Amino acid sequence: MAAATEPGGMDGYLGLRDVRVDLDLGVARGGGEGGSSGGGGGGGGFTVCFWLYLSGSPGPSSVIFHQITAGSDNKLPFLALSEGNKLLLFPLLGLHKEAPGASSYPWTDTANISAVNECPLEKWVHIGCEVTENVMRLHIDGDLVAEANLCSLPSEPANQDDAYQICLVGNSDKVEGYVYNIQVLSMLGTIHEQYTENPPSKLSIDYSCCDGIEVGDDGIWCIVGGKASCRRNFIMEVVLTNAFGEPVNKDTQIVASLVYADNGAVVEKSRDDAEPPLLIAFEGLEYPAKSRPLPILRGRALFKLKISQLSSKCDNKLFRIYFSTLNAQKYPFLEASSKPVRCISRGRPNRPMGPRKRTSSAAVGEIQSTNNRQGFGHDGKVNACSQSHDLVCLHPSKFLKVEVDGIETHEMVTQLLVCLQSEQDRKMVLETPSVTRTDSTASDSDSIDGGSSWSGSDRDEVETFSDAMVFRYCLEGTCERSTFLKGAASSINVDDLIALANQVSLYSGCSHHRNQIIISKQLLEEGADTWSIISKNKERALWSSVVPAIVAKFMDISRSANRGLSEQDLEVLRGIAGCGDDLGRDEFDRLWYWLYPVAASLSKDKINNLWDRTEPVWIEGLITKEEAENALRSSKELLRKPGTFILRFPTTRSWPHPDAGSLVVTYVGSDNSIHHRLLSLDFSAARAGTLQDLLLQEPELLQLGRQAH
């Protein structure tokens, strides 16, 4: 069966006017090439399937595909739009008695089968047309939406060769549209498979990730630009997704440019020696945006831009930020334009913090060191020789208590170097014998010890992330931080990732924020790969098929050769994901954002040794707070003796929460009540002794709550 020609096509994309498909009616009658593989409606048949993108509003009763017989110039409709923009499929010339004729105008009055819903604009729609001698079927997005029984013409025409040749051609006049992956198959019943395989792509802007942009009273975006001393960075992120909304992992580069909002014309330099209108920040330096395209990574590209051209210098015109691929052929679905922008000049206010420094080359290796502490080697796999952070030795009498997410959290640090911390009241101090804690109350804001310092270099200071962005990260919730890191981690380089982690750690006074930022790239990449393996590029996956992959991945990351996940552990994970018999990407992400930091923590030597010990069990499986409390009761009313404790991972801490992957000790206190304290996993590598010995030296922790069965 003949397939479509592709003049000027790139990666299967064609302008509607360039589409030409030859059909062999012999296949529809059950004969001809491939006829034996047909089915239904007379023993033969073929399928025409393709993706359609309409980029403009078509006129009423517009034809999308014409059908032409060999030796004739008459163009008759095969696929068209009704006045209500519903798809209409017409019988085939030379095959059906009901086929339209030259005198059949308007086409809507002739025999056709019609879709129920309107055909959307500026969105990819999959269309499948099944044709046999007696039946035609219309499929949209893999679903059958219309079907009609037809009468076939005699199978022995006067000029058999010409009558058997029908050509479908795209409309070149009234409809602005595009087609992707058009195929003519000599088999029926394969449309849904074609729909799910190899969908087309679309470029768009993720407005939830924009930063450094203000909105004026008139609703117009305002961006501070102009000369170098005044203009500011702003961030925009573009996403490349397929027709199902999934990120596309293609070797594609995106370039940004500044255009006029009214006509899309590129904004040119005002004079030969002027700066380019749009600049991109790359490794601390500014370049013309056109000269620095960014690759799509995990379906996203994050642009840090500046505008040097003021609207006041361009007759007060508005601009747009225009993104496109580097393909020679431009397609509207591979382009994206921002909302209208007014570039203004504004005096730079005093910044609340001093300028930041570019991370030194020595700090570049710090991410490797930190990854090693999290259990990762240079190849991204778990490192067998993980090291731990040095932390602080504080005066044992200083004690703070808050309650967060139901976990009673104490700032309790003794000579054992076990920190029990809360996000709302956390300090980062240097390890010196003279340091003591003087705080006595919890605060809603994080503070910084005077001895803390941010790692930088003596190079020229250049801006990476604005103070506003860093403070916003510190103040936002876990969901907003997750959204930000999904964009930033896949696009920025190592220097910028370390700089961001250092800045957040400094401004928040919380070193654990830093760890979550640094592991974000590995977490997101492995999560995407794991979901791809589990889902097999489908929207959902059965829980029963997910379990083996999750267990294997957990054991690989945690470096646990003997202890995986029990049935009880898997039920806890199922509850965290919030799924039933199957799960989608959102449920998988909830599971992964909790499980990955836990597995990374278990990869550390001291924690790993404790996890593998089962006689007695030192670290419980994945249990909830309620299950932990029940384990510390000898009966429904009575608690076990004071000092009895168990170790568990809190089910309320997920990446990028600073305490994700931390251990909680649940114990019976001297007041004969149950307490939940969060343990820092930052242990001094120079400290001698195993973790279990350090724990048992705590005056409040005397014996394990449960022994191995």
Side-chain angles (χ1 to χ4, degrees), residues 3 22 155 193 228 248 266 268 354 396 529 588 694:
D22 295 321
S155 59
E193 295 177 8
V248 175
V266 176
E268 303 291 349
D529 292 342
F588 171 79
L694 297 177

mmCIF file of all heavy atoms in Angstrom, residues 3 22 155 193 228 248 266 268 354 396 529 588 694:
data_model
loop_
_atom_site.group_PDB
_atom_site.id
_atom_site.type_symbol
_atom_site.label_atom_id
_atom_site.label_comp_id
_atom_site.label_asym_id
_atom_site.label_seq_id
_atom_site.Cartn_x
_atom_site.Cartn_y
_atom_site.Cartn_z
ATOM 1 N N ALA A 3 2.355 4.882 0.732
ATOM 2 C CA ALA A 3 2.350 5.751 1.908
ATOM 3 C C ALA A 3 2.526 7.182 1.468
ATOM 4 O O ALA A 3 2.691 7.486 0.299
ATOM 5 C CB ALA A 3 3.456 5.339 2.882
ATOM 6 N N ASP A 22 -1.410 8.180 -1.874
ATOM 7 C CA ASP A 22 -2.019 7.341 -2.913
ATOM 8 C C ASP A 22 -2.675 6.127 -2.278
ATOM 9 O O ASP A 22 -2.072 5.453 -1.442
ATOM 10 C CB ASP A 22 -0.957 6.898 -3.923
ATOM 11 C CG ASP A 22 -0.376 8.066 -4.697
ATOM 12 O OD1 ASP A 22 -1.135 8.983 -5.060
ATOM 13 O OD2 ASP A 22 0.857 8.076 -4.892
ATOM 14 N N SER A 155 -17.407 -4.066 -8.817
ATOM 15 C CA SER A 155 -15.962 -4.233 -8.712
ATOM 16 C C SER A 155 -15.266 -4.347 -10.053
ATOM 17 O O SER A 155 -14.084 -4.615 -10.105
ATOM 18 C CB SER A 155 -15.645 -5.490 -7.887
ATOM 19 O OG SER A 155 -16.242 -6.623 -8.521
ATOM 20 N N GLU A 193 -3.143 1.268 18.380
ATOM 21 C CA GLU A 193 -1.697 1.072 18.492
ATOM 22 C C GLU A 193 -0.944 2.239 17.871
ATOM 23 O O GLU A 193 0.063 2.711 18.419
ATOM 24 C CB GLU A 193 -1.297 -0.233 17.812
ATOM 25 C CG GLU A 193 -1.869 -1.483 18.471
ATOM 26 C CD GLU A 193 -1.505 -2.744 17.714
ATOM 27 O OE1 GLU A 193 -0.690 -2.641 16.773
ATOM 28 O OE2 GLU A 193 -2.026 -3.821 18.049
ATOM 29 N N ALA A 228 23.459 47.762 31.643
ATOM 30 C CA ALA A 228 23.939 46.626 32.430
ATOM 31 C C ALA A 228 23.796 46.839 33.930
ATOM 32 O O ALA A 228 23.549 45.900 34.678
ATOM 33 C CB ALA A 228 25.398 46.338 32.071
ATOM 34 N N VAL A 248 9.268 15.089 26.643
ATOM 35 C CA VAL A 248 9.903 14.457 25.483
ATOM 36 C C VAL A 248 11.405 14.489 25.667
ATOM 37 O O VAL A 248 11.986 15.555 25.904
ATOM 38 C CB VAL A 248 9.508 15.175 24.182
ATOM 39 C CG1 VAL A 248 10.260 14.591 22.994
ATOM 40 C CG2 VAL A 248 8.004 15.062 23.956
ATOM 41 N N VAL A 266 11.324 40.442 14.759
ATOM 42 C CA VAL A 266 12.447 40.388 15.694
ATOM 43 C C VAL A 266 12.903 41.798 16.041
ATOM 44 O O VAL A 266 13.021 42.670 15.169
ATOM 45 C CB VAL A 266 13.611 39.585 15.082
ATOM 46 C CG1 VAL A 266 14.828 39.598 16.012
ATOM 47 C CG2 VAL A 266 13.177 38.158 14.799
ATOM 48 N N GLU A 268 15.525 44.390 16.661
ATOM 49 C CA GLU A 268 16.917 44.535 16.233
ATOM 50 C C GLU A 268 17.667 45.484 17.147
ATOM 51 O O GLU A 268 17.074 46.258 17.899
ATOM 52 C CB GLU A 268 16.974 45.050 14.788
ATOM 53 C CG GLU A 268 16.248 44.179 13.779
ATOM 54 C CD GLU A 268 16.941 42.841 13.544
ATOM 55 O OE1 GLU A 268 18.097 42.685 14.013
ATOM 56 O OE2 GLU A 268 16.334 41.965 12.910
ATOM 57 N N GLY A 354 24.321 40.993 50.573
ATOM 58 C CA GLY A 354 25.405 41.391 49.708
ATOM 59 C C GLY A 354 25.457 40.551 48.465
ATOM 60 O O GLY A 354 24.830 39.501 48.374
ATOM 61 N N PRO A 396 25.250 19.688 76.155
ATOM 62 C CA PRO A 396 24.131 18.764 76.327
ATOM 63 C C PRO A 396 22.958 19.333 77.099
ATOM 64 O O PRO A 396 21.863 18.796 77.032
ATOM 65 C CB PRO A 396 24.760 17.582 77.077
ATOM 66 C CG PRO A 396 25.952 18.149 77.753
ATOM 67 C CD PRO A 396 26.469 19.211 76.846
ATOM 68 N N ASP A 529 13.686 7.669 34.708
ATOM 69 C CA ASP A 529 14.091 6.403 34.090
ATOM 70 C C ASP A 529 13.295 5.228 34.660
ATOM 71 O O ASP A 529 12.865 4.338 33.921
ATOM 72 C CB ASP A 529 15.592 6.165 34.302
ATOM 73 C CG ASP A 529 16.446 7.159 33.524
ATOM 74 O OD1 ASP A 529 15.918 7.778 32.579
ATOM 75 O OD2 ASP A 529 17.624 7.322 33.878
ATOM 76 N N PHE A 588 3.240 7.775 41.309
ATOM 77 C CA PHE A 588 4.622 7.288 41.343
ATOM 78 C C PHE A 588 5.561 8.344 41.900
ATOM 79 O O PHE A 588 6.459 8.029 42.694
ATOM 80 C CB PHE A 588 5.085 6.882 39.951
ATOM 81 C CG PHE A 588 6.557 6.566 39.876
ATOM 82 C CD1 PHE A 588 7.051 5.344 40.302
ATOM 83 C CD2 PHE A 588 7.458 7.517 39.403
ATOM 84 C CE1 PHE A 588 8.406 5.064 40.262
ATOM 85 C CE2 PHE A 588 8.817 7.246 39.353
ATOM 86 C CZ PHE A 588 9.293 6.011 39.784
ATOM 87 N N LEU A 694 26.379 4.706 69.822
ATOM 88 C CA LEU A 694 26.109 6.120 70.088
ATOM 89 C C LEU A 694 24.687 6.320 70.578
ATOM 90 O O LEU A 694 24.432 7.124 71.483
ATOM 91 C CB LEU A 694 26.353 6.943 68.825
ATOM 92 C CG LEU A 694 27.788 6.957 68.276
ATOM 93 C CD1 LEU A 694 27.855 7.755 66.982
ATOM 94 C CD2 LEU A 694 28.745 7.522 69.301
#
